[in-house]
Amino acid sequence: MPLRFSPLLALPLFALAPALHAQEAVFGEGVDISDIDFTQADLFVTGDTVFDDSVCIGNACVETEVFPEDTLLRLTNPDIRVEFVDTSSAAGSFPSNDWEIQINDTANFGQDRFSIADATAGTVPFTVEAGAPSSALWIAPGGEVGVGTSLPQSDLHVAASTLPTLRLDQVGFGAFPPFFWTLAGNHNVFYIGNSNGNGFPFSINDEAPNASLALAANGNVGLGTDSPDAPLEVSDDDTFSFFRITATGAPTNQSVDVVFTQGPLGTGEFRYNIVDGDGPEMRLNANGDMLVEGTLTTGGPSCDSGCDAVFDADFPRLSVTQHAALMWDKGHLPAVGPTIPGAPINLSERIGTLTNELEHAHIYIEELHRDNATQDTRIEAQASQIKTQAAQIDALIARLEALERDG
């Protein structure tokens, strides 16, 4: 039995009959008003109405109804609804929406609840279920909203005894199960979790220092600084700072440290260190000096100067004299090019061109060796011939001397 309020109608008040409209009646033992005409109200009052004590409305009220001292209105009915019907013209500019207070569901096995319904739209935007704890929802004088607390300390204050949690749930998207995010925090850590079963992909420990993670207005990310000067800046108040890259699936040496420290010169040193118990594999100081604990392999040269093609039979190789003339004319090794003081050097190209010149040199050496060997053979033949001729000359001289003695 719903109770209907209308701006044009006041609450019921005692009226006996049209003949008593201008009269005052006093009843010492109460009044029962009823008739058998169910098409009209038993009581209809057109003027202002005043009740000086408690009122019970509903078909479960009895004449001997007992009210607590602070109860002014009691509604008793199997189906309690209070309607607020605005009779303003919906065609005009006046608000005319209708509202309804609903107490419990009317169906069997329904919910025990207190709800405020938008009767015009057919929606129920606000509900309190039976059994809701104290301070489940609290609005402080300053507008702060408390969930689980009657002393909200911020615009929205969520309190719980174990893990206060805020859930962001996407509904009506057609996906099953629905996707959601959770924000949770306790005395140890703050989490952001999701519904994918990945646990909490983001967490902040309660002892994390200031500016552990900062995003600047320009998108720069700071770790240890709230004013990063680069897309990613790792900062530390010490003279030693680093970040680690780890691959837990790697069978050996799962981490590497990228380090900046003052170094032995005190001017700054960059280090690269595989975390395997020894020192860094590479060091680079502020002077540009690099130390590599191991071999250094670079990309191959372009071979514009020929590389090993110098050994090909059809390679247009200059003679040693031509090569020497070109070298002296240019003032540098032809394949290497000039070496300018202070200018950067492409090690891959430089090694390739030096190798080319070295191969030329070995070819020239081998050619000279062949020439020398030929000359040595010729010289030996000439020496043998000279020796023979010398013996012949000695024999002739001996014969001449003998002839002179005999004559």
Side-chain angles (χ1 to χ4, degrees):
M1 177 182 175
L3 175 66
R4 185 182 297 270
F5 291 95
S6 173
L8 302 182
L9 301 177
L11 286 172
L13 211 157
F14 298 112
L16 298 179
L20 298 177
H21 282 176
Q23 300 179 15
E24 180 177 341
V26 179
F27 304 96
E29 296 182 0
V31 175
D32 289 335
I33 302 175
S34 63
D35 57 29
I36 60 175
D37 186 357
F38 296 106
T39 63
Q40 296 185 6
D42 291 345
L43 182 63
F44 184 82
V45 181
T46 59
D48 294 338
T49 302
V50 176
F51 289 90
D52 191 31
D53 213 332
S54 302
V55 176
C56 180
I57 301 176
N59 59 14
C61 294
V62 298
E63 294 183 6
T64 57
E65 197 77 35
V66 178
F67 296 92
E69 183 178 354
D70 54 357
T71 298
L72 293 179
L73 176 63
R74 174 180 291 167
L75 306 179
T76 63
N77 204 65
D79 180 12
I80 300 177
R81 298 291 186 269
V82 179
E83 296 180 355
F84 299 87
V85 180
D86 192 329
T87 60
S88 302
S89 174
S93 59
F94 293 97
S96 60
N97 204 80
D98 296 339
W99 299 88
E100 183 178 270
I101 295 177
Q102 300 177 352
I103 306 299
N104 301 330
D105 285 344
T106 60
N108 196 20
F109 301 107
Q111 286 184 315
D112 292 315
R113 62 185 176 87
F114 170 87
S115 300
I116 297 178
D118 184 338
T120 300
T123 59
V124 184
F126 179 81
T127 294
V128 179
E129 284 194 52
S134 298
S135 305
L137 179 64
W138 192 283
I139 301 179
E144 299 88 353
V145 177
V147 177
T149 176
S150 60
L151 297 171
Q153 303 299 303
S154 59
D155 292 341
L156 177 62
H157 184 168
V158 180
S161 59
T162 54
L163 186 66
T165 302
L166 179 64
R167 174 165 167 157
L168 308 177
D169 206 334
Q170 183 179 16
V171 296
F173 186 67
F176 185 84
F179 189 85
F180 64 86
W181 292 92
T182 57
L183 284 76
N186 57 19
H187 60 287
N188 287 325
V189 68
F190 167 78
Y191 303 98
I192 295 180
N194 59 39
S195 60
N196 291 337
N198 297 331
F200 298 97
F202 180 82
S203 63
I204 303 176
N205 190 277
D206 69 310
E207 295 183 356
N210 184 49
S212 293
L213 173 64
L215 301 179
N218 58 0
N220 288 351
V221 179
L223 299 178
T225 175
D226 57 5
S227 55
D229 293 325
L232 175 61
E233 181 175 352
V234 181
S235 180
D236 199 299
D237 291 336
D238 207 343
T239 59
F240 180 95
S241 185
F242 75 100
F243 67 88
R244 175 169 293 183
I245 302 173
T246 298
T248 57
T252 308
N253 298 334
Q254 298 178 339
S255 299
V256 61
D257 291 340
V258 180
V259 183
F260 177 78
T261 182
Q262 286 301 296
L265 300 179
T267 57
E269 183 173 278
F270 173 79
R271 297 177 180 177
Y272 176 90
N273 179 41
I274 299 292
V275 184
D276 54 359
D278 58 7
E281 283 70 32
M282 188 274 290
R283 302 182 183 187
L284 177 64
N285 65 23
N287 294 334
D289 302 325
M290 178 182 290
L291 173 63
V292 177
E293 299 289 346
T295 60
L296 177 63
T297 302
T298 68
S302 63
C303 288
D304 291 338
S305 57
C307 293
D308 292 340
V310 67
F311 294 107
D312 295 342
D314 58 349
F315 184 81
R317 186 175 63 250
L318 300 177
S319 68
V320 62
T321 304
Q322 293 171 326
H323 192 276
L326 184 61
M327 175 185 68
W328 289 111
D329 179 61
K330 291 183 175 295
H332 57 74
L333 294 175
V336 175
T339 300
I340 302 173
I345 295 177
N346 185 326
L347 290 180
S348 297
E349 291 297 325
R350 181 55 60 93
I351 291 174
T353 55
L354 286 173
T355 301
N356 180 269
E357 287 288 352
L358 183 61
E359 291 172 344
H360 271 89
H362 276 274
I363 291 174
Y364 295 145
I365 291 172
E366 195 273 338
E367 290 177 347
L368 292 175
H369 176 72
R370 287 201 310 266
D371 292 344
N372 288 338
T374 301
Q375 290 178 359
D376 288 344
T377 301
R378 186 181 301 117
I379 291 172
E380 288 178 359
Q382 291 175 348
S384 177
Q385 184 179 6
I386 292 172
K387 184 177 180 181
T388 301
Q389 292 175 347
Q392 292 174 346
I393 292 173
D394 289 340
L396 290 173
I397 292 174
R399 288 177 65 184
L400 289 174
E401 289 178 350
L403 290 173
E404 290 177 354
R405 287 196 302 268
D406 294 339

